[in-house]
Amino acid sequence: MAPPVRPRFRAERRAVPEAELVLAGRAWVGGRLQPLEIGFDGDGWICAVGRAVPGARRHDVGDRVLLPAATDMHVHLREPGPSESGETIATGTVGAALGGVGLVGEMPNTEPPTSTVDRLDEKEGRVRGRAAVDVLLYAAPADVRSLRSLGRRAGGFKLYLSPTTGIDTVPTGPELASLLDGLAAVDLPVAVHAEEPARFRPASTAVDPATWDDARPAAAEAAAVARVLGAPERLRLHVAHVTTAAIARGIGERGLSFEATAHHLLLASSAGGDARWKVNPPLRTEGERAALWAEFRAGRVPVLASDHAPHSPASKALPFDRAPSGVPGVETTVPLLLARVAAGELPLPVLLQSACDRPARLLGQPVGRLSVGHRANVLVVDFRSRSRVRGDRLRSPCGWSPFEGAPAVFPAEHWRGGERIVDAGEYIGRPTGAVVRPEYAPGAVRGDPGSE
Ligand SMILES: [Zn+2]
């Protein structure tokens, strides 16, 4: 079984008399923005929060705001693999840094898939010395027997209920049941891609995003979700990319975790006519999108994630049924939602809980809050500094975005472990990102009384 997870919050440390560095501004602490100072110790942890924190160095951000850096539980950085988009762990994590994300959960459906300990080792080697932010590696269990050894090394598991890039076979029936039992015993977060292939129509029937929605309907998603809702209580289940309000409510009523992506929240199947808007599960109708947004806005979607999955413009220009599914998003998810906050369309606490606090707790990481004992991963945001998404200006080598022209508020600064890695919206960091694993077992993620 996996080794027991122990909290590594540094809350028990004695108050440090003087911080190495103090950030002063309007900080998100205790569920509101207030003029405060955040002290960092020399090891990259928050050691003091108060009205006046003594420190060796001071950085006053004026009336800009200090927010915790985000955690994106769902990205595909395309390594190892042919990566026709040109994306790598190096480029994708710089995009994350620029988009305000300090920790990414990297999915295992690479080529080859991350389904053995040797492949996890190999992927860890690719992160070390090359990643701009921290990376949690998911493993794809090949079978029940592999769970024990993988569970000692992986940061989480990803379970595919439909075939996807790099994953051809999916568990069904008794095989799925025993896999879920085995995963419950390993005690790591388990993200599920829930679509039921038996409910799909042939891909050849789809010629645009609207007919793609018909080919992989919400009913396929609902059927797959129903198969995992009865999973053992102990299973730390998290349903990826939920696309409709009805499915979201069904999962929420069971007290389970799930995520919505920026593209399912902000884009309907009418957003564009070609394969750049082809994604799995598909973009839904404007009515479904608006209903999901209402759930999110009301704080009933636990986690925001990007499902960053870049493809080259050339592969997206293939005939619709042959073009690959997936859109880039790790650099734009938080900025797009910050712009909604700036426009008065989204409460800031809803964004911070879903993008920072809850995903960190699900993954057992001491990040996502500006409080003592957490990593000094902090964003400086100026809500007046609005821009627009431009695909050719994003770090991802794919060079395009499904959100082209949409309003965005990119963080002005990003501090990671007490070191500034983004300044004036430019990446200035070093590739010191680490491979992380859950450090503590979360309590109930929904309704967590400790949530800010
Ligand atoms: Zn994905």
Side-chain angles (χ1 to χ4, degrees), residues 107-108 136-141 146-152 154-159 183 186 188-192:
M107 288 298 170
L136 178 139
L137 297 176
Y138 291 92
S146 67
L147 292 178
R148 188 183 286 252
S149 56
L150 281 172
R152 284 195 209 99
F157 284 102
K158 177 72 179 277
L159 197 55
L183 286 165
V186 175
L188 283 176
V190 178
V192 181

Side-chain angles (χ1 to χ4, degrees), residues 68-198:
T71 290
D72 188 340
M73 288 183 64
H74 191 159
V75 306
H76 301 266
L77 301 182
R78 306 296 193 209
E79 262 195 81
S83 189
E84 37 83 18
S85 67
E87 190 76 283
T88 62
I89 288 167
T91 59
T93 52
V94 169
L98 289 163
V101 172
L103 167 64
V104 294
E106 155 65 6
M107 288 298 170
N109 60 324
T110 43
E111 293 179 43
T114 320
S115 54
T116 67
V117 170
D118 285 350
R119 289 178 186 169
L120 265 172
D121 279 347
E122 199 266 350
K123 213 174 203 180
E124 270 197 52
R126 290 170 178 269
V127 171
R128 247 177 269 121
R130 292 177 65 231
V133 301
D134 293 336
V135 179
L136 178 139
L137 297 176
Y138 291 92
D143 52 45
V144 162
R145 290 184 309 281
S146 67
L147 292 178
R148 188 183 286 252
S149 56
L150 281 172
R152 284 195 209 99
R153 298 297 305 279
F157 284 102
K158 177 72 179 277
L159 197 55
Y160 290 91
L161 299 184
S162 67
T164 188
T165 315
I167 307 275
D168 302 325
T169 55
V170 296
T172 52
E175 197 194 344
L176 176 63
S178 73
L179 200 51
L180 292 174
D181 279 340
L183 286 165
V186 175
D187 195 31
L188 283 176
V190 178
V192 181
H193 180 124
E195 281 186 291
E196 172 87 55

Side-chain angles (χ1 to χ4, degrees), residues 382-450:
D382 182 349
F383 280 107
R384 294 158 303 191
S385 169
R386 292 188 228 182
S387 59
R388 291 191 178 271
V389 171
R390 289 218 10 211
D392 59 355
R393 291 205 186 142
L394 296 175
R395 185 57 66 115
S396 181
C398 77
W400 64 278
S401 166
F403 301 102
E404 186 72 30
V409 174
F410 287 89
E413 298 177 19
H414 184 161
W415 295 73
R416 184 183 161 276
E419 194 175 306
R420 187 158 36 184
I421 61 171
V422 171
D423 188 20
E426 297 291 330
Y427 177 70
I428 58 164
R430 298 175 298 136
T432 55
V435 174
V436 300
R437 300 186 67 236
E439 295 184 10
Y440 60 92
V445 169
R446 284 174 62 85
D448 176 359

Side-chain angles (χ1 to χ4, degrees), residues 78 82-87 274-278 308-318 322-328 396-401:
R78 306 296 193 209
S83 189
E84 37 83 18
S85 67
E87 190 76 283
D274 62 50
R276 283 175 294 173
W277 291 273
K278 182 182 182 187
H308 175 74
H311 292 283
S312 69
S315 62
K316 283 294 202 179
L318 290 169
R322 283 171 40 215
S325 293
V327 295
S396 181
C398 77
W400 64 278
S401 166

Side-chain angles (χ1 to χ4, degrees), residues 176-254:
L176 176 63
S178 73
L179 200 51
L180 292 174
D181 279 340
L183 286 165
V186 175
D187 195 31
L188 283 176
V190 178
V192 181
H193 180 124
E195 281 186 291
E196 172 87 55
R199 308 276 182 120
F200 294 168
R201 281 184 222 159
S204 58
T205 61
V207 295
D208 58 23
T211 45
W212 188 238
D213 176 18
D214 298 334
R216 292 175 80 121
E221 204 181 326
V225 167
R227 288 169 62 199
V228 293
L229 282 186
E233 282 269 300
R234 277 188 62 198
L235 188 73
R236 289 166 65 177
L237 192 76
H238 171 83
V239 181
H241 41 50
V242 165
T243 67
T244 77
I247 296 170
R249 281 195 290 268
I251 302 169
E253 279 161 16
R254 301 296 286 264

